[in-house]
Amino acid sequence: MGSYTALIIPGIFILIIIVILSLIAYGIGATSIGSDEVGIVEKWWSSGGSVPADGLIALKGEAGYQPEVLRAGVHFKTRFKYKVKKVRLVTIPQGQIAYVFSRSGESLGDGQTLGRVIPQSKSFQDVVAFLNNGGQKGPQRQILREGTYAFNLAQFIIITKDRVHSIFTSKDETAQIETMRSDLSIENGFSPVIISNSKVSVQNTQLDENSEIDVSYNKTANKQGSRDTIGIVTINEGPTPDNGAIIAPIVGEGINNEFYHNNFQEPEKFLAADGRKGKQMQVLTDGVYFINRMFASVDIVPKSIIDIGYVGVVVSYFGDKGEDVSGTGYSHGELVEQGKKGIWRDSMMPGKYAFNTYAGKVVPVPTTNVILKWISGQNGVHKLDDNLKEISLITKDAFEPNLPLTVVFNIDYRKASSVIQRFGDIKMLIEQSLDPMVSGYFKNIGQTKTLIELVQDRSQIQQQAADEMTSKFKLYDLELQEVLIGTPAASASDTRIEKILAQLRDRQVAMEEIKTNEAKQKSAEKQRELNEAEAKAMAQSALTQSSIDIEVADNKGKSELRLAEQLALKTQKLSEADKYKRTQEADAERYTKEAQAAAQAKTIELTASANAKQVELQASAEAFSLETVGKAKALNIKAVADATAEQETKVGIAKGTAARALVEAYGGPDLQVKQSVMIAFAEALKISKSPLVPQTIIMGGTDGKTPNAMEGIMSMVLANMASGKGSILPKSIENTDVKKEKKPQKIGRAHV
């Protein structure tokens, strides 16, 4: 028993010590806060009482939630008095927006939907500064951008894209917060507003789901930003515009302005600048904007693009009333200067404009040629003639054709605003003004023409219409370029017109066939003439060649005839010369016998005289012979040259001329010389009386050739004279062996 008691007592003592130590530790309240945590302190009891019923945060030490939070470290808060709830720091990713809901603070004012911005609160991290400086309960105007924050989640509810940060919410708060979150998700309120062209939008669509930029917004931005865009802002709080204006004016414009609200990103400055709620005249251009979507919503719309070939006429719904600048000659409405309410006198030139389409509209007006087709199923490039169709006519002969028509006109860009002022838009101008005017004009024309005239006089009617309608178009400030009329066509139920047109076509085909046959006939005649010409050309060639051959043969025959005649003449001359020669030889023989006796008496005289005469005669004969031969050769050369020249034209004549010249050369001077010599020699024989038949014959010619008859007779005379009285030659010559005895040779027909 004693030992048991000894064990119990120390155990109880130790237990008491543990309990005491636990109570001491609990009373001290040591709490460790991590680096990514904050501690929200709730006071259980206080001598100062509790927080007022309309409050939540104990600013004066009351029991309730304390405004300060515990940051990282060890803190001592007795559990007998305080409750510390540890929560994580709120982190907002880059490219996202977080919204704040305040549980306590002043109530919102009339027309106020969001709590005012309290700069002293250090982005809602200083609860005391927030509440002491007029912080209001409810959703806040100020938004939170990327970063990590130590919030007192008992005072503020932080709404992010992924979750709601709070330590508790009431039933009413929960419903309100969920509504806010749903509305913000629809407006892509957790992402900044991105105004960009299609290039940037395409880049954004390439981001994956883990991107810090909202994917759902990217899809919307890509859909709306397929073209260059602008942002049209609608402010949800503030006073309404004056005088019931549908567009709020621009305020706080300019970075140096004290109320510069940085494109609606600073709501307090916007409101301080007397900004009004509703659609804003100011638009957002290219950029990234962190705008509280509960304060302002943004509609992303395309820029106003004026293409080349157009101008933009501005119809403004916003601005002060402007002075009419249209001039006294214009009575169809007012035109105002840019920035005023109404139709602006000066149009927008081609380009891109950040024009607020809620504050007005831009009417595109084509400045290039506009083609209007009154033809069913066909349209011009501008697609302004969708509702136009063929014009129904009634002709003079009671036919009812449909007339297809094309009209080309253009609008002077300087008159575009006046056209819109008068007609509203171009399509209305065409359908309500031009169509009735043009249709009525051609209906009047159709009543003065028969169907055949309408078809046959189309060019004339077309030119007349262009001339007369030009002035009508000028009344509408339009410039008519051309009127083109098509072929009248019958309606589906009318077959008479088709029959008439078929008859016309048949008639035209018949006329064309006649013309074709005539053309073929002319072509055949031309072909026959051509064939005849070709045949004549071919025959002419043969004829020419035949004529040449005939002429050549004729010339050849004449040449041969002349040659034969010349040969015959030559033969005749030679025969006569031979006959004459024989006659002379006989006469010389007779004369020789008669003169032989007389010659002997005067041998010496005659010898000397004969020698002298012989030398003289030989010299004369030689000279005359050379002259005659030279002349003959010259004549022969001239005749050959003439024959060569004549041969190019007449072949046979040249040869005849040469032959004749040759015959004349044979029978002329040479024969005269010989005859003279023979006569002189015969005279000498008569005087010398030498025997005609010599006793001694001295043969040999002067040139070694066979001597002729003349030389033979002279040799005999000289030999006889020498035998009687000695040599008749000089001493210097006598010793010269010039005489050679030769065998008897034939001299003509005599033999010695």
Side-chain angles (χ1 to χ4, degrees):
M1 186 67 182
S3 58
Y4 182 74
T5 303
L7 293 173
I8 291 178
I9 293 174
I12 295 172
F13 181 74
I14 293 172
L15 180 61
I16 293 172
I17 293 175
I18 293 174
V19 171
I20 293 172
L21 291 175
S22 299
L23 292 173
I24 294 172
Y26 183 80
I28 294 174
T31 303
S32 177
I33 306 297
S35 60
D36 61 342
E37 297 176 327
V38 294
I40 300 173
V41 180
E42 181 182 5
K43 196 174 186 180
W44 286 1
W45 55 270
S46 173
S47 60
S50 300
V51 177
D54 58 347
L56 180 65
I57 303 300
L59 297 177
K60 299 179 180 180
E62 304 98 330
Y65 286 104
Q66 302 301 301
E68 293 83 7
V69 296
L70 303 179
R71 305 299 299 268
V74 178
H75 302 272
F76 296 93
K77 294 289 184 180
T78 177
R79 289 182 174 62
F80 295 105
K81 191 175 183 178
Y82 299 97
K83 179 182 178 181
V84 179
K85 182 175 180 59
K86 295 189 291 184
V87 297
R88 291 188 176 275
L89 299 174
V90 177
T91 300
I92 301 172
Q94 185 178 1
Q96 291 189 14
I97 297 173
Y99 295 84
V100 180
F101 184 91
S102 176
R103 284 187 167 132
S104 65
E106 297 179 4
S107 299
L108 298 175
D110 294 337
Q112 193 176 355
T113 59
L114 301 174
R116 66 175 68 95
V117 177
I118 308 299
Q120 299 86 346
S121 68
K122 301 179 181 178
S123 298
F124 306 102
Q125 297 181 98
D126 191 339
V127 176
V128 175
F130 177 82
L131 296 175
N132 290 337
N133 289 279
Q136 297 173 301
K137 61 182 178 182
Q140 301 296 302
R141 295 171 183 166
Q142 185 179 355
I143 58 174
L144 300 174
R145 296 182 58 178
E146 61 273 3
T148 301
Y149 302 88
F151 295 120
N152 188 334
L153 297 182
Q155 167 65 22
F156 302 110
I157 299 173
I158 309 301
I159 306 169
T160 65
K161 178 184 175 183
D162 298 324
R163 58 173 294 188
V164 175
H165 299 269
S166 177
I167 59 175
F168 72 91
T169 57
S170 65
K171 185 177 181 181
D172 293 338
E173 290 176 342
T174 301
Q176 188 176 2
I177 295 300
E178 288 299 323
T179 300
M180 288 175 53
R181 194 166 185 272
S182 177
D183 294 340
L184 290 170
S185 297
I186 295 174
E187 294 289 333
N188 294 308
F190 297 102
S191 299
V193 177
I194 301 177
I195 307 298
S196 64
N197 54 32
S198 58
K199 182 178 180 180
V200 176
S201 296
V202 171
Q203 293 177 347
N204 288 343
T205 58
Q206 296 176 351
L207 299 176
D208 57 21
E209 296 181 353
N210 296 323
S211 173
E212 296 175 345
I213 298 178
D214 188 12
V215 176
S216 63
Y217 171 76
N218 292 334
K219 295 179 181 179
T220 305
N222 182 51
K223 182 179 180 181
Q224 297 178 346
S226 58
R227 301 174 60 188
D228 289 348
T229 57
I230 59 173
I232 297 179
V233 180
T234 302
I235 301 298
N236 298 321
E237 78 172 326
T240 59
D242 295 334
N243 301 322
I246 61 173
I247 301 293
I250 299 175
V251 297
E253 190 176 16
I255 193 170
N256 296 323
N257 192 313
E258 63 175 324
F259 298 114
Y260 176 67
H261 50 81
N262 195 15
N263 294 297
F264 310 100
Q265 296 181 99
E266 299 183 31
E268 289 300 319
K269 290 186 177 181
F270 173 81
L271 295 174
D274 197 23
R276 304 301 177 97
K277 68 178 179 180
K279 297 289 184 184
Q280 302 296 305
M281 189 64 190
Q282 182 181 349
V283 298
L284 302 177
T285 57
D286 292 2
V288 179
Y289 304 92
F290 290 86
I291 297 176
N292 187 332
R293 299 305 218 293
M294 293 186 295
F295 175 74
S297 61
V298 181
D299 295 327
I300 299 177
V301 299
K303 290 180 180 177
S304 297
I305 300 177
I306 311 299
D307 294 324
I308 295 177
Y310 288 84
V311 295
V313 177
V314 178
V315 181
S316 178
Y317 309 140
F318 173 82
D320 298 330
K321 179 177 175 56
E323 181 181 358
D324 183 17
V325 294
S326 60
T328 58
Y330 185 80
S331 60
H332 302 280
E334 293 184 350
L335 300 177
V336 299
E337 295 290 351
Q338 183 176 352
K340 303 297 182 179
K341 183 185 294 185
I343 296 178
W344 294 357
R345 180 183 60 180
D346 299 327
S347 303
M348 291 180 176
M349 294 295 102
K352 296 180 180 180
Y353 299 89
F355 183 80
N356 191 333
T357 53
Y358 285 91
K361 67 176 181 178
V362 179
V363 182
V365 177
T367 57
T368 56
N369 286 347
V370 178
I371 300 175
L372 302 179
K373 294 184 178 182
W374 276 262
I375 304 173
S376 300
Q378 296 187 22
N379 303 109
V381 178
H382 298 88
K383 306 295 184 182
L384 299 172
D385 48 3
D386 296 337
N387 298 324
L388 302 182
K389 60 181 180 179
E390 293 84 355
I391 302 172
S392 299
L393 305 180
I394 300 177
T395 64
K396 187 177 180 181
D397 50 357
F399 287 99
E400 298 181 4
N402 294 327
L403 181 66
L405 180 68
T406 299
V407 174
V408 182
F409 73 94
N410 75 291
I411 302 174
D412 188 343
Y413 77 95
R414 293 166 294 189
K415 299 180 180 179
S417 57
S418 63
V419 172
I420 298 302
Q421 175 69 296
R422 293 177 63 180
F423 304 104
D425 58 40
I426 304 302
K427 197 169 183 67
M428 189 179 298
L429 161 67
I430 293 171
E431 295 179 355
Q432 297 184 6
S433 297
L434 292 186
D435 185 25
M437 185 267 290
V438 173
S439 299
Y441 176 83
F442 281 99
K443 286 180 181 293
N444 294 336
I445 292 290
Q447 292 177 352
T448 63
K449 301 288 184 179
T450 64
L451 179 63
I452 303 299
E453 291 174 345
L454 197 63
V455 175
Q456 294 179 343
D457 300 340
R458 184 177 66 87
S459 179
Q460 179 182 353
I461 297 173
Q462 185 171 279
Q463 185 61 44
Q464 178 185 351
D467 296 338
E468 296 179 358
M469 292 178 63
T470 298
S471 59
K472 296 181 180 295
F473 271 67
K474 285 186 178 294
L475 298 176
Y476 298 117
D477 292 327
L478 307 177
E479 299 291 335
L480 180 64
Q481 301 297 324
E482 197 169 8
V483 178
L484 302 173
I485 301 175
T487 302
S491 60
S493 60
D494 190 358
T495 60
R496 298 176 301 163
I497 297 178
E498 183 59 33
K499 290 180 180 179
I500 295 294
L501 295 178
Q503 292 176 1
L504 290 176
R505 287 193 292 268
D506 293 340
R507 185 186 307 171
Q508 187 65 32
V509 170
M511 294 176 63
E512 292 297 328
E513 288 179 352
I514 293 173
K515 292 181 180 180
T516 301
N517 293 331
E518 292 177 353
K520 288 182 178 180
Q521 184 178 357
K522 291 181 180 180
S523 177
E525 293 177 355
K526 292 293 184 180
Q527 185 65 38
R528 178 176 60 78
E529 294 176 358
L530 179 61
N531 294 336
E532 290 179 356
E534 290 179 351
K536 287 182 179 180
M538 295 178 63
Q540 185 65 37
S541 177
L543 180 62
T544 301
Q545 185 63 39
S546 177
S547 300
I548 293 173
D549 293 341
I550 292 172
E551 187 176 358
V552 171
D554 183 61
N555 292 335
K556 185 177 181 182
K558 290 179 180 180
S559 175
E560 292 177 352
L561 178 60
R562 294 292 298 276
L563 182 59
E565 292 176 350
Q566 292 170 2
L567 292 176
L569 182 60
K570 179 180 179 181
T571 303
Q572 181 182 357
K573 293 293 185 180
L574 292 175
S575 178
E576 292 176 354
D578 187 63
K579 181 180 180 181
Y580 183 77
K581 177 181 178 182
R582 291 196 299 271
T583 302
Q584 292 297 321
E585 287 178 352
D587 292 341
E589 185 177 356
R590 181 171 55 80
Y591 290 155
T592 300
K593 290 179 179 180
E594 292 177 356
Q596 200 171 21
Q600 290 178 356
K602 296 182 178 180
T603 304
I604 299 174
E605 182 183 357
L606 289 174
T607 301
S609 179
N611 289 336
K613 191 68 173 177
Q614 180 183 10
V615 173
E616 182 182 355
L617 292 174
Q618 286 181 346
S620 297
E622 287 292 333
F624 190 80
S625 177
L626 292 174
E627 180 182 359
T628 303
V629 172
K631 290 181 178 181
K633 289 182 179 180
L635 290 174
N636 188 28
I637 293 171
K638 181 178 182 301
V640 172
D642 293 338
T644 303
E646 189 70 13
Q647 188 179 4
E648 296 178 358
T649 56
K650 294 182 179 181
V651 178
I653 296 175
K655 293 183 179 180
T657 303
R660 182 173 63 192
L662 183 59
V663 171
E664 291 176 354
Y666 286 157
D670 187 63
L671 183 58
Q672 294 291 331
V673 172
K674 290 182 179 180
Q675 287 178 353
S676 299
V677 173
M678 291 298 294
I679 292 172
F681 188 75
E683 200 59 38
L685 288 177
K686 184 177 180 180
I687 296 173
S688 66
K689 296 180 181 182
S690 296
L692 184 61
V693 180
Q695 280 76 31
T696 304
I697 302 175
I698 302 173
M699 304 297 292
T702 59
D703 56 355
K705 297 180 180 181
T706 304
N708 54 28
M710 183 66 175
E711 292 174 346
I713 294 173
M714 290 181 65
S715 298
M716 288 189 295
V717 174
L718 293 175
N720 289 332
M721 294 173 66
S723 63
K725 296 183 178 181
S727 177
I728 61 173
L729 300 174
K731 295 283 187 180
S732 60
I733 302 175
E734 184 178 6
N735 296 327
T736 304
D737 188 13
V738 296
K739 296 186 293 183
K740 294 180 180 180
E741 292 187 6
K742 294 184 179 182
K743 294 181 181 180
Q745 297 191 11
K746 296 181 180 180
I747 303 175
R749 296 175 180 168
H751 299 274
V752 181

